[in-house]
Amino acid sequence: MVFDATDKKLLEYLQQDSKQTNKELSNKLNLSVTAVYERIKKLEKAGFIKGYVALVNKQKIEKNFIVFCHIKLVQHIQEYVVSFEREVTKLNEVLECYHLSGDYDYLLKVIVSDMSAFREFMVKKLTAIRHIGSTHSMFVINEVKHTTAINF
């Protein structure tokens, strides 16, 4: 598949608002509605577009307490890594999990309602995962920038 400048522009528009109609996109791109439809289908089929989501306002659902947790496993061996990753993906409070190089093995982005809910998450869920040696938590004071859009 050829990925051209028009495809990039189309992806930028879709990242801004994926609910735009093909007609609106065709006007912005100076293409026919059919051409826009075919390009979107091509991008979906080729895996450039993984899906479409609604971005939820954290304050409206009272889940606006964000915590970043560094996790260090007791030992960095395959069995422990696989086990930790399998278990952490089951935790709904964990929005993101990254396997890192450096002093810590993982970085988690956790969302809960407040400090009390975070403590409950730590005590009842996170520390129940085997092979965690230590954790280090940092609480977000203010979200300065948050985007899901990838620039080209």
Side-chain angles (χ1 to χ4, degrees):
M1 170 191 150
V2 176
F3 183 67
D4 62 19
T6 303
D7 291 323
K8 289 179 183 178
K9 200 69 180 159
L10 177 55
L11 287 177
E12 286 177 11
Y13 289 138
L14 288 171
Q15 287 183 105
Q16 291 168 10
D17 180 6
S18 66
K19 289 188 75 172
Q20 295 177 79
T21 66
N22 288 347
K23 177 69 175 159
E24 290 170 319
L25 292 166
S26 71
N27 289 335
K28 291 178 181 178
L29 295 167
N30 294 317
L31 295 172
S32 70
V33 173
T34 302
V36 168
Y37 174 81
E38 289 172 355
R39 280 182 181 265
I40 290 172
K41 289 300 170 199
K42 175 185 74 169
L43 291 167
E44 288 171 346
K45 186 176 180 183
F48 286 86
I49 298 173
K50 291 173 38 176
Y52 300 90
V53 299
L55 300 176
V56 176
N57 182 328
K58 296 183 292 290
Q59 284 79 21
K60 295 285 186 186
I61 62 165
E62 297 179 4
K63 293 266 181 141
N64 56 345
F65 193 76
I66 306 293
V67 183
F68 288 93
C69 296
H70 283 116
I71 306 292
K72 188 181 289 188
L73 300 179
V74 290
Q75 194 176 1
H76 202 92
I77 61 174
Q78 183 178 4
E79 175 191 343
Y80 293 0
V81 167
V82 170
S83 174
F84 174 80
E85 290 179 3
R86 182 178 52 250
E87 293 303 313
V88 79
T89 59
K90 296 175 186 175
L91 302 176
N92 292 330
E93 296 87 349
V94 176
L95 296 180
E96 300 171 33
C97 175
Y98 300 96
H99 193 176
L100 305 173
S101 63
D103 292 338
Y104 289 91
D105 299 315
Y106 291 93
L107 176 64
L108 308 181
K109 182 178 181 182
V110 177
I111 186 169
V112 291
S113 57
D114 54 25
M115 179 64 86
S116 176
F118 178 69
R119 183 182 187 290
E120 185 171 325
F121 165 77
M122 283 293 288
V123 171
K124 293 185 178 176
K125 294 183 178 182
L126 190 61
T127 57
I129 297 176
R130 294 177 46 218
H131 313 303
I132 292 179
S134 65
T135 64
H136 178 83
S137 300
M138 298 164 290
F139 308 103
V140 172
I141 295 168
N142 183 39
E143 186 176 272
V144 177
K145 179 181 179 180
H146 176 92
T147 184
T148 60
I150 300 170
N151 275 336
F152 296 98

